[in-house]
Amino acid sequence: MPTNGIDVIEESGDKIKFSLRGFVNPTASNVIYYSNGERIIALSFAKTKTPKYEIIKKGETGKWDEVKVIAYTTKDNLEKS
């Protein structure tokens, strides 16, 4: 299964602040997808909390917006490429 790579911005203890690029379907703004129009989830957030993301390229004629999001996770189960 393909996945989006992350860029580690900061590490503190077992926490990591990272950025991820992907695509947002306007009808599901709490999910970042792997590619435009494909429902391969790269990152999802609770439906009660819409993430803040930067729009890199606005989708045109039914295409999804390309975005960059900053989020946090733990070091558990991360693999370096």
Side-chain angles (χ1 to χ4, degrees):
M1 180 71 74
T3 188
N4 304 52
I6 65 169
D7 292 317
V8 175
I9 298 169
E10 183 180 317
E11 294 184 43
S12 179
D14 69 336
K15 306 280 188 227
I16 293 177
K17 179 179 181 180
F18 68 94
S19 68
L20 177 133
R21 291 176 68 149
F23 294 85
V24 170
N25 177 343
T27 63
S29 61
N30 64 312
V31 179
I32 309 296
Y33 292 95
Y34 170 73
S35 63
N36 191 1
E38 301 294 327
R39 294 191 180 273
I40 302 170
I41 296 172
L43 185 65
S44 66
F45 297 89
K47 287 184 178 184
T48 57
K49 188 76 172 172
T50 302
K52 293 179 184 176
Y53 47 78
E54 170 189 350
I55 295 179
I56 297 169
K57 183 179 177 188
K58 187 77 176 150
E60 297 176 14
T61 60
K63 298 293 184 181
W64 297 350
D65 297 335
E66 184 177 359
V67 299
K68 176 180 174 182
V69 65
I70 295 178
Y72 296 84
T73 190
T74 60
K75 292 182 181 179
D76 302 0
N77 302 316
L78 288 182
E79 293 184 20
K80 293 188 178 194
S81 60

